[in-house]
Amino acid sequence: MGLVRSLCLFITFLSCLIISVHGQATARPVPVSGTRIGFYLTTCPNVETIVRNAVNAGFSSDPRIAPGILRMHFHDCFVQGCDGSILISGANTERTAGPNLNLRGFEVIDNAKTQLEAACPGVVSCADILALAARDTVILTQGTGWQVPTGRRDGRVSLASNANNLPGPRDSVAVQQQKFSALGLNTRDLVVLVGGHTIGTAGCGVFRNRLFNTTGQPADPTIDPTFLGQLQTQCPQNGDASVRVDLDTGSGTTWDTSYYNNLSRGRGVLQSDQVLWTDPATRPIVQQLMAPRSTFNVEFARSMVRMSNIGVVTGANGEIRRVCSAVN
């Protein structure tokens, strides 16, 4: 009896390590209470295929939707939990908040929802569609996938004012730690999740304060001098604030660890990114994630599952929206 129990525990442990998603080796997370892997197995068995196809179609038309959807999920979870409230459109909704104005991919989520309503009416939440789509964008940019626990329901409240406490591009490590800790995420989660900046861009207006001071001299001595000249050319002092610059210089469309390597060379674009290298509380984690045998992909999957279970609405709470951009 003891041998059987030991074997069962060992098999259970192994099953939690690696699974296959879309034919790829992936990390398998342990689901958090309230959501579970395979939630729609009997009620909408094709949900992941439908979402994946919608994301693939959107990515083929505009690859910029990959970082857009990933950040959309992040911003959704950091404001009242992962309840799809960022998807609601209208005056003074979360979508209208400053940090969310440049997000892309809303039409991809809407497309997936339309197809799911045809296949499984009133079953799949918009919050779950967004969580699945975020995972699929990582795979499309050559990252490693993971199983996404589902079972979230949709929230009914979306206010721009609630987005005021999102992590910002000028935040110190201490401020970032406070914002993550308030949601149950630790410092390692912080450094790992910010690694999502390996894809995507930022507008010059977000970080130009680092490049010039009032006399036109460089303001941030932590920037590599050669890189500083490159950024000043791309983002001149009185230039267009909306011009976009890759957050991961030299590899802005590929999921890899070069983002962390860039931080070690003084080539972080955002101040909130570069301080992860200069602050002793986070530098050792950056060093580990940029190492040749980096565990970044596995750790990112684990931290994403933890993040995607922040404040989830489940059971009889919330609703299953018929259209993601509006409450029922």
Side-chain angles (χ1 to χ4, degrees), residues 165-298:
N165 203 39
L166 281 168
R170 301 183 185 184
D171 286 350
S172 66
V173 166
V175 170
Q176 293 182 72
Q177 286 176 315
Q178 184 277 323
K179 291 179 179 180
F180 276 70
S181 177
L183 298 173
L185 299 173
N186 60 33
T187 300
R188 194 166 192 94
D189 291 318
L190 156 62
V191 180
V192 168
L193 289 171
V194 175
H197 286 174
T198 183
I199 57 174
T201 61
C204 289
V206 173
F207 61 88
R208 191 157 46 200
N209 66 296
R210 301 184 67 210
L211 312 183
F212 307 95
N213 65 18
T214 55
T215 62
Q217 298 300 312
D220 190 338
T222 67
I223 305 175
D224 169 70
T226 301
F227 188 51
L228 175 62
Q230 179 182 327
L231 290 178
Q232 289 175 332
T233 298
Q234 292 175 286
C235 303
Q237 191 163 13
N238 297 311
D240 186 350
S242 66
V243 170
R244 312 293 295 183
V245 173
D246 284 343
L247 288 169
D248 183 6
T249 301
S251 183
T253 59
T254 303
W255 193 269
D256 54 30
T257 59
S258 70
Y259 162 80
Y260 296 112
N261 283 278
N262 276 329
L263 297 187
S264 74
R265 299 165 59 200
R267 290 176 170 248
V269 173
L270 303 182
Q271 182 175 330
S272 58
D273 287 351
Q274 190 58 54
V275 294
L276 298 179
W277 178 257
T278 57
D279 194 301
T282 48
R283 182 169 181 165
I285 303 174
V286 174
Q287 290 174 316
Q288 292 166 15
L289 294 172
M290 62 183 273
R293 294 187 178 183
S294 174
T295 56
F296 172 55
N297 279 308
V298 172

Side-chain angles (χ1 to χ4, degrees), residues 115-201:
Q115 295 182 52
L116 286 166
E117 284 299 298
C120 321
V123 173
V124 181
S125 69
C126 298
D128 276 344
I129 294 171
L130 182 53
L132 291 166
R135 184 271 312 277
D136 292 341
T137 64
V138 172
I139 295 173
L140 281 171
T141 52
Q142 303 179 37
T144 301
W146 61 92
Q147 284 198 327
V148 178
T150 47
R152 301 165 190 79
R153 289 171 67 83
D154 297 320
R156 299 188 180 97
V157 177
S158 181
L159 297 172
S161 57
N162 289 334
N164 290 334
N165 203 39
L166 281 168
R170 301 183 185 184
D171 286 350
S172 66
V173 166
V175 170
Q176 293 182 72
Q177 286 176 315
Q178 184 277 323
K179 291 179 179 180
F180 276 70
S181 177
L183 298 173
L185 299 173
N186 60 33
T187 300
R188 194 166 192 94
D189 291 318
L190 156 62
V191 180
V192 168
L193 289 171
V194 175
H197 286 174
T198 183
I199 57 174
T201 61

